[in-house]
Amino acid sequence: MLSYDIVVIGGGPAGLAAAIEAKKNGVNNILVIERDRELGGILQQCIHNGFGLHIFKEELTGPEYAERFIKELCEMGIEFKLDTMVLDITKDKIVTAINTVDGLINIQAKAIILAMGCRERTRGALSIAGTRPVGIYNAGLAQRLINMEGYMVGKKVIILGSGDIGLIMARRLVLEGAEVIGVLARGSYAAGLGRNVVQCLEDYNIPLMLRHNIVKINGKDRVESVVVVKTDENKNPIPGTEEIYECDTVLLSVGLIPENELSANLGIRLDRNTGGPIVNESMETNTEGIFACGNVLHVHDVVDYVTQESQRAGRAAARYVKNEFVTNSEYIKTKPGNGVKYIVPQIVQIDNLKGPIEFFMRVRDVYNDSRIIVKLDDIKIRELKRQHMIPSEMERLVIDSRLLKEGSIMTVEICSGGEL
Amino acid sequence: MYDVVIIGAGITGGFIARELSRYGLNVIILEKDNDIANGTTKANSAIVHAGYDAKPHSMKAKLNVEGNKMFDYICEELDVPFKRIGSHVIAFSNEEMVIINELYEKGIINKVPGLRIIDKVELLQKEPNINENVLGALYAPTAGIVGPWELAIALMENAMENGVELMLNSEVINIDKLESGYKVYTKDNEIKTRYIVNCAGVHADEIHNMVAAPKFTITPRRGQYFLLDKKAGNIVNTVVFQCPTKISKGVVVLPTVHGNLLVGPDAEDIEDKRNTETSDERLNYVKSASMRTSNKIPFNKVITSFAGSRASSDTGDFIIKEAEDAKGFIDVAGIESPGLSASPAIGKYVVELIKEIHGNLKENSKFNSTRKRIIHFMELSEEEKHEIIKRDPRYGRIICRCENITEGEIVDAIHRNAGARTVDGVKRRVRPGSGRCQGGFCQPRVIEILARELNKDITEIVKDGLNSNIAIGKTK
Ligand SMILES: Cc1cc2nc3c(=O)[nH]c(=O)nc-3n(C[C@H](O)[C@H](O)[C@H](O)COP(=O)(O)OP(=O)(O)OC[C@H]3O[C@@H](n4cnc5c(N)ncnc54)[C@H](O)[C@@H]3O)c2cc1C
Ligand SMILES: Cc1cc2nc3c(=O)[nH]c(=O)nc-3n(C[C@H](O)[C@H](O)[C@H](O)COP(=O)(O)OP(=O)(O)OC[C@H]3O[C@@H](n4cnc5c(N)ncnc54)[C@H](O)[C@@H]3O)c2cc1C
């Protein structure tokens, strides 16, 4: 059996940053395992720019951003295996993986970092009625086919879902000569970043059709048309508003789901709101010595935050391997209150904190001129003003750890306008 | 000149072809689609019914009960997934208990073994997720579940190994009567044959009418389903039917042989025989109706929905006989449910009919009754896994991340008899793309492998039908 101090599962930006940071913190014996033919994860197919604004203060493309980390990883001599898929992890931290060269391998790790990213929600999950012809693609799949394999997927496209991938693919398809009829959002705001709405739709005159949904797909061999309806405040179809749009392609960008099959099989507890593991301040899951970061933990909109969060996981894993880690200490729990969809981490072990602690969170709705209120056992400890918050943009919340008290519950809620 | 032309490569065509390959006959099977098992055989409940439902003394009753008994050894010979998990018809009222009693009586006449009426306590012990207000159930231990298209594909592989020819993309558009025998026309070919077996599913009446006076009509009766993730597969342990009412048969909740949960179908007579569209209205009906069985079905775990079309004939029974006015032309028509369950018996029965017409048949001395399924890498022991990767490294590359399917399995699926030519064909044979991500990750890889193995360009690879190309050209 092979043996490593830290095994990182997934070689996307999360896995890369975690591995590099662990090495910088004094652990030498690290292995990164990546299923794909190259490192870089989803970034390899994101050839648009807009990556690295926070960390590098410049606009890089996805592959460029990934390249910087891949280079650093190689320079540091961190081992990695490509075209290798992890099939199983046990509580004793034995990782089973396979590839064409080594066959089936078992690896004993002292610590494991989960960085498997996420997958796309599919048409099946939406149960859109109609036929099942060719021409229905998840946006990420289309992105891979177009950007990495070099093949076009259609000529006249309608996009359901206004998440970042949908927005970016709208522009990409137009640049490749396709007609994009519109990008549909079921609710009253776009699900993607504001800057993507401007740069990908408005600059290219692609209609953003808010409060619309596709209820049926028609076509024999290939998509021929879709039935679109208007939706009410609860995102339900308004009868009588059906309109038929002719198109040969439907792109779905209807959400990402953290890829946690391996974690769940191992008994790692997942948070219903994030779809990822419940972690503590060190990104450690409920299984000791197993850490998680990046999109496998919660879906991020900006890769810089993935990198920062993964560095935290890498540092913690290194401390764990070196036995410097405080485990099972007293802790507080975080709880999403009014208007908050989730908070990560969900658990904070105070003894492991020195300075301030950073939380990631998302709001449930659009809020203007409002405040984020942080309470510890119903006592307000912090209040932050925000001009504009939307569900698609992750909020960061920095709290001085001296404000936190063991055994408490930290609630975060949103107050809009003049309330309170 | 062929001895037999079989029209339609569904489960019945498959069984008949395989049964005929036991004899020294020239047999060809003509299929209009781009793959076999692409009609009703790919979209049904996959239940091997026990046989209490069919009207006593009907063809349906006889062939269902006979067919059911044959499943164990046939699925073993052909290495096809089959599980005899038993079924329950559940009742929520005294009126429904009366119907359960009637079903029991019918089952006794139909000679269904092991039938029992059980009470609530026993039922809930076996099926704890069924709603509390249930009163009792009819238990049929011989009911089972099968991989329907796996079975049809296995039959075709085995039939071809034993000499049967298959011609895809060959819709029969006309038939001429000859002095002795027939000439069958497809768009590209004319085929002479002594006998014809018409297994054209919902189109069987049209084929019949090409050579004989109209005797029956087929009405397509559509049924819609939800397929749920494997995480929901253990909601029930057996096939759970609702009590049939005058208006509806009620939806079924059952596990599939792969461990998913299947919920459906409804029943709706429609006009267009090729229509297997789903509709919101009907899917919603299926959802709410199934809640009557169990309110614990996690509909947020749906991975896909689909519809199938039953070939119901106006005679109410299977029609399996030589047409009166067309010698040597045998109809296998109106094969609605329990057609899958009856199909092994239908195969035997049709061969008997041909023997009657032809006289005794010469045995095929080289007939091989067994066929091995594609190795499923994940089911191997650790040692076997090592070995197979050493022998063929392609088993070391996982292509489908949800179902853990390797490249080796996909290549095997392409290079077999009746091998996969399409992305959906690969999916039906080895399952990449049938998991929770529905091909989101593996589809580009599967396309690549198909193109490489078939020596084609990526743009020529289709999802299913001949015109369903996935990539329409190169990017700029
Ligand atoms: C289409 C798209 C556009 C984006 N645009 C921007 C943008 O403009 N700006 C920006 O800042 N951010 C953007 N992002 C966000 C950012 O790219 C992601 O948040 C980031 O890539 C997530 O990193 P990750 O490492 O967690 O996941 P991933 O990049 O998905 O990496 C996970 C890796 O794990 C591997 N893996 C999974 N399971 C296994 C296994 N069992 N065994 C081995 N390996 C495995 C996968 O192959 C993959 O390589 C975009 C994201 C997407 C999807
Ligand atoms: C909703 C539903 C649920 C069901 N559930 C069950 C069940 O649980 N248990 C059970 O036992 N049975 C069930 N059945 C019935 C079972 O699926 C069918 O009886 C069985 O699949 C019929 O097989 P077949 O080969 O006769 O028809 P098909 O599978 O439809 O095959 C006919 C073939 O003929 C081809 N064809 C048609 N016209 C032409 C032409 N002109 N030229 C060439 N080829 C042609 C078609 O393309 C097709 O491949 C169900 C059916 C439905 C619709």
Side-chain angles (χ1 to χ4, degrees), chain A residues 169-229:
Chain A
M169 283 312 290
R171 173 177 67 185
R172 185 79 189 101
L173 284 159
V174 168
L175 292 175
E176 282 297 337
E179 179 191 347
V180 177
I181 300 168
V183 175
L184 276 53
R186 284 197 307 156
S188 49
Y189 52 85
L193 296 172
R195 70 161 200 251
N196 282 335
V197 174
V198 176
Q199 291 171 8
C200 299
L201 300 190
E202 289 172 13
D203 290 357
Y204 291 81
N205 291 322
I206 301 168
L208 173 62
M209 298 161 68
L210 297 175
R211 305 240 315 236
H212 281 79
N213 196 6
I214 295 177
V215 289
K216 190 165 171 234
I217 297 176
N218 301 314
K220 288 213 164 70
D221 274 338
R222 187 160 186 108
V223 173
E224 286 158 22
S225 65
V226 294
V227 180
V228 170
V229 293

Side-chain angles (χ1 to χ4, degrees), chain B residues 8 11-12 31-32 40-41 44 47 172 225 310 335 339-341:
Chain B
I11 191 77
T12 52
E31 169 54 53
K32 75 174 165 58
T40 306
T41 298
N44 54 58
I47 302 164
V172 172
Y225 295 89
R310 306 164 181 91
I335 310 299
L340 173 61
S341 321

Side-chain angles (χ1 to χ4, degrees), chain A residues 118-122 138-141 165 252-253 255-257, chain B residues 437:
Chain A
C118 54
R119 65 187 151 89
E120 295 182 270
R121 178 168 291 137
T122 64
N138 277 339
L141 170 62
I165 323 181
L252 300 174
S253 172
L256 300 170
I257 306 166
Chain B
C437 89

Side-chain angles (χ1 to χ4, degrees), chain A residues 35-37 83 99-100 104 106 119 122 124 129-132 137 141 150 152 175-176 216 221-222 261, chain B residues 276-278 303 382 386 393 396-397 401 436-437 444-445 448 463 467 469-470 472-476:
Chain A
R35 197 184 62 102
D36 226 314
R37 288 171 240 190
D83 206 3
N99 65 30
T100 57
L104 193 76
N106 288 319
R119 65 187 151 89
T122 64
T131 53
R132 283 155 299 282
Y137 302 89
L141 170 62
M152 252 319 251
L175 292 175
E176 282 297 337
K216 190 165 171 234
D221 274 338
R222 187 160 186 108
E261 297 312 306
Chain B
T276 51
E277 283 181 20
T278 52
I303 56 181
E382 200 153 306
H386 267 303
R397 180 174 291 130
R401 149 166 166 185
R436 29 176 212 290
C437 89
R445 298 279 186 93
E448 214 175 276
K463 175 179 182 280
N467 299 314
N469 306 63
I470 293 167
I472 60 163
K474 292 249 179 210
T475 47
K476 282 199 215 161

Side-chain angles (χ1 to χ4, degrees), chain A residues 10 13-14 34-35 41-43 48 51 86 143 165 295 301 303:
Chain A
E34 170 55 50
R35 197 184 62 102
I42 201 83
L43 292 187
H48 56 281
F51 294 84
V86 173
Q143 188 174 51
I165 323 181
N295 278 354
D301 32 68
V303 71

